[in-house]
Amino acid sequence: MLRPHGTYPIACKKKWRMAFTAISFVKLLHHLSKKALHMKPPTLFRSFSYLVIDVAPPHVSSPSRKLSNVDPKELGQMVGDKRLDSLTQFGDVKELAALLETDLKRGISDGDDDINRRKRVFGANVFTRPPSRGFLSFVLEAFKDSTIIILLFCAVLSLGFGIKQNGWKEGWYDGGSVILAVILVIGVSSVSNFNQSRQFKKLSAKSGNIGVEVVRGGRRQSVSISEVVVGDIVHLKIGDQVPADGLFLEGHSLKVDESSMSGESDHVNVNADANPFLLSGTKVADGFARMLVTSVGMNTAWGAMIGSITRELDEETPLQVRLKKLTSAIGKVGLFVAALVLVVSMMRYFTGNTRDDLGNREFVGRKTKFDDVMNAVVGIVAAAVTIVVVAIPEGLPLAVTLTLAYSMKKMMRDNAMVRRISACETMGSATTICTDKTGTLTMNEMKVSEVRVGKKLIAEGEKLAPSLVQLLKEGIGLNTTGSVYQPQEISLPEISGSPTEKALLSWAVMDLGMDIDEVKQHCEIIHVETFNSEKKRSGILMREKKGSNRVHTHWKGAAEMILAMCSNYYENTGEIMIMGDEERAQIGNIVKSMATKSLRCIAFAKKSSNGNEHIEKLEESELTLLGILGLRDPCRPGVKAAVESCKKAGVKIKMITGDNVHTARAIASECGILEPNEEFNEEAVVEGFQFRNYSAEERMDKIDRIRVMARSSPFDKLLMVQCLKHKGEVVAVTGDGTNDAPALKEADIGLSMGIEGTEVAKESSDIVILDDNFSSVVTVLRWGRCVYINIQRFIQFQLTVNIAALVINFVAAVSSGKVPLNAVQLLWVNLIMDTLGALALATEEPTNDLMKMPPVGRVEPLISKAMWRNLISQALYQVFVLLILQFKGRSIFEVNEKVKNTIIFNIFVLCQVFNEFNARKLEKKNIFEGLGKNKLFIVIVGLTVVLQVVLVELLKKFADTERLSWGQWGVCVAIGALSWPIGLLVKCVSVGPSK
């Protein structure tokens, strides 16, 4: 039974109160501890004084360190002006990285939220360029043509006199129709030029899309240069373009070419102490590094000056220069004919030798009204000016622009991005292609397929001595520009770097069980010698962090180069053996046998010193050979067929590679560059040092017989190009490295590799091969030839029209004082020729027949003998028919003068329509071959016919025509169609070998 509360003693009551208080306090503590543990971020409480500590997890900004508190302009000025004092205000590079919320090892977060936040605060890595030309500028440019201005002036005068004489209802037809026709020609020309300008701009934007390697979320990944943000950590190697302004974090032997910014050609050393600043748009000339991005886009030093360096898109190509000369020559002839027509027509009019449609004399002295005289004079002047308009083939430059734009677009689809448009046509004249091996002729997917330690072949799964394994891990894991990222223990590692580095790292990780982070933790790198294309090797000097503190030199490179530096070698048991002359010869033969199996041989060697010794540079003698790895890089599918295609086209292929002579010979034979009888021909396969040691006379004598140059340096490649050009060859060169830039610039056509190519190589090239495939090089060759042949097709078509129009109008003017084709009709013919004809004939795609023809020389005439044969025969036929109709047409068809002139106009246009088919094939008799593939040609021809019917049948007032009967239409079509059999018969006449 419970006692009442009041009956308890006072002492007992105190104890109960204390117990209750203790229980309540414990419950409160338990509640607070649970609340603190579940809070985000975790919060630590203390009673009474109440101290709160916020511990921010990575990539979560604390209120005092928000990105928005960092001034982008201050960062931009610091790097742009290279001000170390400004950097010290932030502390150092590491403290600035913390301020930008960047983990120096893992980079920024790879989440879209963090990247978008950085873009909002610091901007995107894009540049604001000057506005491109608007459509109106192209219209104004077309209006500036002097002949167009004269024609419009005449049309306005004709319009005024016509309205004054016949009133608004009837008087505007003559002058108004000319004005409308001129506006139509200007409009079509402006639209065409505007579209091509936009096309070139799009292609230019694509050429500026560069890939950059960044670290995000601990993973090394490639992103577009426009996606780089402030805080990114970027990996830089030789040949890379610095994507934004930033600071040097870590690296070795970094030298930067800042000539694009400062104009100075000397390379600038960049390091953590004296000069940590890296500027956007500069190029890495040597070494490698990691940089912290501090400014992007318009906040960079490059962005400040980008407005003045926009690349010119309307450069004149060599073919366009030649066509301008042709246009000028034809224009002078047209001007002379027009002047004669003007003088003769004026004389015939004012002497009373011209009659109107009713047979009455037009000029009867003072009885003729002033308005009639002025109308007649204006009409004669307009006709003469229109002859000039038709005679000047301004469609030729347009045809070049159209075919280049069309070809560039199609070449992009075929993995070739054109950076300089003149390269399209120059490639068609190429007589020699100097090509790389790795990645171009081969797959660029290297894999270690053979391992040699000493003189022994190591079978798959065979164990090596632990000491040798550790040295190989150091030699591969430290002496590399690649990286290994392990996302999870159960997943495969992600390996980044060049194909060679990826193959070596992959073998070390998979077969040796290498943990690259563990290797780096136990070693301190003292000095690095980056890969040198002359020495064909790279090396590191490193010190062990624990134990003996011994210093090791590690070299990696071409097997014969490393072998020459060694005096000892390891066996697979870990025992070190002396390398005498006999052993050296045996190992040399092993390397040779590996190379003859198309293996790329990479050797590893090391030399150790006591930790007490002071060593500043890498040892280069008395090394110990660790092992030799044979990397297989199979030939690309289709390369042999592509090489054979080039040979049939009369284009010589020369392979220039850094690999040894045995590997080079094996690959060249596999690709078909070396014929079976040339495989062991000493003159067909040479090494770089042999070629450079030849005398100038020997080089010029032997260069045609050289098919392969092995162990070549960049200077050897440049020397080869110079010698070939000196012999009159048109040389195309492929390259991917920084040191290939001189040869790429020297060549007539430089082709860089889009995947493995450095930015320096791409900048020096004319065309970027996006898939690094030799087959794409051959595709460029086919398109180059297609550009040239398309221009020839259009020249043949246009000159036929020019000759026929000039002759018929001149003869008619001299004989009768009137021209059968008036201004509007001639402007319509001009439109068919210049714009529609160019569009139809400039979009023919390349055929296999192009690769059966010999190369076109640079000085070959634009108009070949076959073209002269074709165009003269067609022009003579058209002139013959039209002159008969001019003098006998009224009696033949029993029609009046206006119907006769309409029939002449209709036949003249239809002759051009049918002759357009003839122009498709310059020498082939089957003009319809491949017609179904060019749907645009069919559409344009159909559109021309439809518009001609509308012009004749419906727009009588506009074109000054009369409706024709079905019979008259049938005769017109039949006469036009005769162009086909005439073209076929003419092609049976041989004019000698085609060029």
Side-chain angles (χ1 to χ4, degrees):
M1 182 175 175
L2 294 173
R3 295 173 57 182
H5 183 266
T7 61
Y8 282 100
I10 294 175
C12 187
K13 289 180 181 180
K14 286 182 179 180
K15 288 180 180 179
W16 275 109
R17 278 197 295 270
M18 287 177 65
F20 180 79
T21 303
I23 291 169
S24 299
F25 184 71
V26 169
K27 283 186 175 182
L28 177 63
L29 286 177
H30 180 65
H31 173 71
L32 290 175
S33 65
K34 285 178 69 177
K35 185 177 179 181
L37 287 172
H38 288 87
M39 286 185 71
K40 294 183 179 181
T43 306
L44 180 65
F45 292 86
R46 284 181 62 186
S47 58
F48 301 110
S49 59
Y50 193 11
L51 178 65
V52 181
I53 301 174
D54 276 335
V55 182
H59 306 303
V60 178
S61 60
S62 60
S64 61
R65 284 195 166 185
K66 286 185 177 180
L67 284 178
S68 56
N69 294 334
V70 183
D71 184 4
K73 289 186 178 179
E74 186 180 354
L75 288 176
Q77 289 173 353
M78 174 188 73
V79 177
D81 298 338
K82 297 187 176 182
R83 290 162 54 185
L84 279 170
D85 57 330
S86 296
L87 179 59
T88 55
Q89 292 177 6
F90 293 100
D92 58 13
V93 177
K94 291 181 180 178
E95 290 186 36
L96 180 57
L99 189 62
L100 296 175
E101 301 175 13
T102 299
D103 187 299
L104 291 178
K105 185 177 180 181
R106 296 179 58 82
I108 65 171
S109 167
D110 57 357
D112 290 340
D113 291 342
D114 188 29
I115 293 168
N116 291 333
R117 180 169 63 103
R118 292 172 185 272
K119 286 183 179 180
R120 283 195 302 272
V121 175
F122 297 103
N125 198 27
V126 292
F127 302 109
T128 305
R129 297 185 180 272
S132 55
R133 291 177 62 189
F135 176 70
L136 283 177
S137 67
F138 289 96
V139 175
L140 290 172
E141 187 177 342
F143 263 114
K144 289 178 183 178
D145 191 317
S146 56
T147 53
I148 291 291
I149 293 171
I150 295 171
L151 200 58
L152 279 173
F153 178 73
C154 293
V156 170
L157 285 178
S158 178
L159 182 66
F161 288 122
I163 293 171
K164 184 179 178 183
Q165 188 174 5
N166 302 314
W168 278 100
K169 191 172 182 181
E170 300 288 336
W172 71 273
Y173 290 129
D174 290 342
S177 57
V178 175
I179 292 172
L180 289 173
V182 169
I183 291 172
L184 178 64
V185 170
I186 289 172
V188 172
S189 176
S190 302
V191 168
S192 178
N193 287 332
F194 177 65
N195 286 335
Q196 302 324 311
S197 174
R198 290 177 63 193
Q199 180 66 41
F200 285 137
K201 188 177 179 181
K202 286 179 184 176
L203 291 170
S204 176
K206 287 184 180 179
S207 71
N209 189 16
I210 299 167
V212 180
E213 283 199 333
V214 299
V215 179
R216 290 178 180 173
R219 175 181 293 150
R220 187 166 161 179
Q221 53 190 280
S222 180
V223 300
S224 170
I225 192 171
S226 60
E227 291 300 312
V228 172
V229 295
V230 170
D232 261 328
I233 291 177
V234 179
H235 280 262
L236 298 173
K237 60 183 184 298
I238 295 177
D240 283 351
Q241 177 177 312
V242 179
D245 284 0
L247 297 169
F248 179 93
L249 283 176
E250 60 180 0
H252 297 280
S253 310
L254 187 67
K255 290 185 178 181
V256 177
D257 176 7
E258 294 187 354
S259 57
S260 60
M261 294 293 296
S262 63
E264 297 292 334
S265 58
D266 292 338
H267 295 159
V268 178
N269 287 304
V270 179
N271 50 56
D273 302 321
N275 178 29
F277 304 105
L278 288 154
L279 300 176
S280 173
T282 58
K283 306 288 193 308
V284 178
D286 196 10
F288 59 90
R290 297 200 315 156
M291 69 169 276
L292 172 69
V293 175
T294 56
S295 299
V296 293
M298 297 307 293
N299 290 322
T300 63
W302 182 262
M305 57 183 285
I306 194 66
S308 61
I309 58 170
T310 305
R311 205 167 92 216
E312 192 63 45
L313 296 174
D314 55 352
E315 59 169 308
E316 275 197 342
T317 71
L319 188 56
Q320 282 174 321
V321 172
R322 292 174 72 184
L323 286 174
K324 271 195 170 181
K325 292 180 181 177
L326 179 64
T327 301
S328 176
I330 297 170
K332 288 174 183 176
V333 174
L335 196 61
F336 176 72
V337 172
L340 278 178
V341 169
L342 178 65
V343 171
V344 170
S345 297
M346 287 286 192
M347 289 175 63
R348 291 187 65 88
Y349 175 77
F350 284 110
T351 55
N353 289 317
T354 57
R355 297 181 180 275
D356 59 20
D357 294 342
L358 301 175
N360 301 318
R361 288 173 61 185
E362 289 186 320
F363 183 77
V364 286
R366 294 180 179 178
K367 294 180 181 179
T368 309
K369 294 179 181 179
F370 176 76
D371 288 352
D372 291 339
V373 173
M374 290 306 298
N375 243 341
V377 169
V378 168
I380 292 169
V381 172
V385 172
T386 309
I387 289 173
V388 176
V389 173
V390 175
I392 296 175
E394 67 270 17
L396 289 179
L398 174 63
V400 176
T401 306
L402 283 170
T403 192
L404 286 174
Y406 178 77
S407 301
M408 286 169 70
K409 188 176 180 180
K410 291 290 185 179
M411 286 165 73
M412 178 68 79
R413 182 197 64 185
D414 292 338
N415 295 310
M417 182 176 67
V418 179
R419 297 186 69 257
R420 192 165 62 87
I421 60 175
S422 58
C424 291
E425 61 195 45
T426 310
M427 193 67 187
S429 305
T431 58
T432 303
I433 298 175
C434 297
T435 178
D436 273 342
K437 175 186 78 69
T438 305
T440 308
L441 298 172
T442 59
M443 294 283 289
N444 211 16
E445 295 175 358
M446 293 191 180
K447 183 180 180 183
V448 175
S449 61
E450 192 169 313
V451 180
R452 294 271 183 170
V453 174
K455 293 178 280 183
K456 180 178 173 57
L457 173 65
I458 306 300
E460 190 174 348
E462 187 173 347
K463 299 294 183 184
L464 300 174
S467 59
L468 178 59
V469 169
Q470 181 59 31
L471 289 170
L472 283 170
K473 286 180 180 179
E474 291 174 3
I476 296 173
L478 298 176
N479 187 11
T480 182
T481 55
S483 64
V484 180
Y485 171 71
Q486 183 76 46
Q488 295 175 0
E489 290 186 7
I490 56 171
S491 61
L492 293 173
E494 296 177 8
I495 300 174
S496 305
S498 69
T500 303
E501 297 289 356
K502 286 164 74 175
L504 297 174
L505 288 170
S506 179
W507 178 78
V509 170
M510 299 301 179
D511 288 38
L512 300 183
M514 179 185 74
D515 184 337
I516 196 167
D517 292 329
E518 184 181 343
V519 172
K520 289 181 178 179
Q521 284 172 6
H522 291 90
C523 303
E524 176 193 354
I525 296 177
I526 303 170
H527 183 67
V528 174
E529 277 206 21
T530 54
F531 180 80
N532 186 297
S533 57
E534 294 286 340
K535 295 181 178 180
K536 306 288 182 188
R537 65 176 188 255
S538 64
I540 59 158
L541 186 65
M542 50 80 65
R543 185 191 303 276
E544 295 177 0
K545 285 184 178 179
K546 295 181 180 179
S548 62
N549 286 333
R550 285 166 64 84
V551 175
H552 300 289
T553 295
H554 278 282
W555 284 104
K556 171 186 75 178
E560 61 266 35
M561 304 292 183
I562 300 297
L563 190 60
M565 299 161 64
C566 295
S567 56
N568 304 291
Y569 67 92
Y570 268 94
E571 288 196 333
N572 64 313
T573 57
E575 187 179 354
I576 299 176
M577 308 295 290
I578 295 173
M579 187 185 293
D581 292 339
E582 185 180 346
E583 287 80 7
R584 189 181 302 276
Q586 289 175 345
I587 296 174
N589 287 331
I590 288 170
V591 172
K592 189 182 294 185
S593 69
M594 293 171 71
T596 54
K597 292 184 283 187
S598 303
L599 296 181
R600 185 178 186 184
C601 301
I602 306 294
F604 295 85
K606 70 96 185 179
K607 186 173 183 180
S608 300
S609 307
N610 293 325
N612 299 325
E613 295 182 29
H614 182 68
I615 301 173
E616 292 184 352
K617 66 176 187 176
L618 282 73
E619 300 281 354
E620 296 190 16
S621 61
E622 297 184 357
L623 274 70
T624 303
L625 182 68
L626 298 176
I628 302 169
L629 302 185
L631 280 65
R632 183 175 299 282
D633 187 11
C635 282
R636 287 183 182 272
V639 161
K640 192 165 186 177
V643 170
E644 189 62 32
S645 177
C646 286
K647 288 182 176 180
K648 287 180 180 177
V651 179
K652 294 173 283 233
I653 307 295
K654 298 183 187 296
M655 187 176 87
I656 304 176
T657 178
D659 280 340
N660 69 49
V661 68
H662 307 292
T663 306
R665 181 182 281 114
I667 292 291
S669 299
E670 191 178 341
C671 294
I673 294 173
L674 281 176
E675 300 289 347
N677 61 333
E678 293 179 323
E679 285 188 29
F680 299 100
N681 185 343
E682 291 184 1
E683 290 191 328
V685 183
V686 300
E687 292 191 74
F689 77 91
Q690 292 176 272
F691 184 74
R692 79 178 80 105
N693 290 332
Y694 287 148
S695 65
E697 292 76 17
E698 283 181 307
R699 274 197 294 270
M700 298 304 288
D701 177 58
K702 295 182 177 183
I703 196 167
D704 285 337
R705 296 188 290 278
I706 294 173
R707 294 286 177 269
V708 177
M709 187 159 67
R711 281 288 176 244
S712 61
S713 69
F715 173 76
D716 299 328
K717 195 169 189 176
L718 176 62
L719 189 60
M720 170 76 81
V721 174
Q722 289 171 336
C723 291
L724 287 168
K725 288 182 70 177
H726 187 66
K727 287 205 77 171
E729 304 280 344
V730 181
V731 187
V733 169
T734 69
D736 58 6
T738 304
N739 293 320
D740 289 326
L744 289 169
K745 283 185 176 179
E746 180 70 24
D748 295 291
I749 313 101
L751 302 115
S752 62
M753 301 297 109
I755 299 173
E756 290 302 321
T758 63
E759 290 310 315
V760 174
K762 293 175 188 176
E763 196 68 30
S764 304
S765 66
D766 306 306
I767 297 173
V768 179
I769 304 300
L770 299 176
D771 61 353
D772 291 13
N773 193 342
F774 184 76
S775 296
S776 296
V777 177
V778 179
T779 301
V780 172
L781 178 65
R782 291 173 78 241
W783 273 110
R785 292 189 170 194
C786 183
V787 167
Y788 192 86
I789 206 77
N790 280 350
I791 301 303
Q792 286 190 312
R793 287 171 178 140
F794 182 69
I795 290 173
Q796 177 181 300
F797 172 68
Q798 187 166 50
L799 290 189
T800 304
V801 185
N802 287 138
I803 293 171
L806 285 176
V807 171
I808 184 65
N809 271 7
F810 175 71
V811 173
V814 171
S815 60
S816 65
K818 287 201 170 186
V819 290
L821 302 174
N822 63 34
V824 173
Q825 293 167 355
L826 283 174
L827 284 172
W828 167 234
V829 172
N830 191 60
L831 188 64
I832 295 173
M833 285 193 312
D834 287 354
T835 307
L836 298 179
L839 198 58
L841 293 171
T843 53
E844 287 284 340
E845 295 206 4
T847 62
N848 292 329
D849 294 330
L850 292 174
M851 298 303 286
K852 296 175 184 176
M853 298 162 55
V856 178
R858 275 181 286 196
V859 293
E860 288 293 322
L862 278 173
I863 308 175
S864 65
K865 292 178 181 178
M867 291 169 63
W868 279 119
R869 175 198 63 194
N870 297 340
L871 72 89
I872 288 175
S873 61
Q874 292 292 335
L876 285 176
Y877 165 67
Q878 292 177 20
V879 169
F880 176 74
V881 169
L882 295 177
L883 286 179
I884 289 176
L885 292 174
Q886 171 68 14
F887 297 110
K888 299 292 182 180
R890 290 182 66 172
S891 59
I892 292 172
F893 291 100
E894 297 180 351
V895 292
N896 61 32
E897 185 72 14
K898 201 166 187 179
V899 174
K900 181 205 77 173
N901 287 341
T902 302
I903 291 173
I904 290 175
F905 168 57
N906 204 31
I907 289 174
F908 186 59
V909 170
L910 290 175
C911 279
Q912 312 321 319
V913 170
F914 284 99
N915 191 41
E916 210 161 350
F917 287 86
N918 287 327
R920 289 188 66 246
K921 304 292 179 183
L922 299 181
E923 296 193 65
K924 273 201 164 189
K925 294 174 183 176
N926 183 6
I927 59 175
F928 303 108
E929 183 182 333
L931 183 62
K933 294 180 181 178
N934 192 349
K935 293 182 174 56
L936 186 60
F937 180 91
I938 298 170
V939 169
I940 288 173
V941 170
L943 180 64
T944 305
V945 172
V946 170
L947 289 175
Q948 178 64 16
V949 172
V950 171
L951 210 63
V952 171
E953 298 295 323
L954 301 178
L955 300 177
K956 298 187 298 178
K957 297 285 188 182
F958 175 76
D960 195 22
T961 56
E962 287 289 332
R963 286 189 174 183
L964 301 179
S965 66
W966 284 105
Q968 289 165 344
W969 268 103
V971 171
C972 293
V973 172
I975 292 174
L978 276 174
S979 299
W980 287 352
I982 289 170
L984 181 65
L985 289 171
V986 165
K987 286 175 184 175
C988 295
V989 179
S990 176
V991 288
S994 62
K995 288 289 181 184

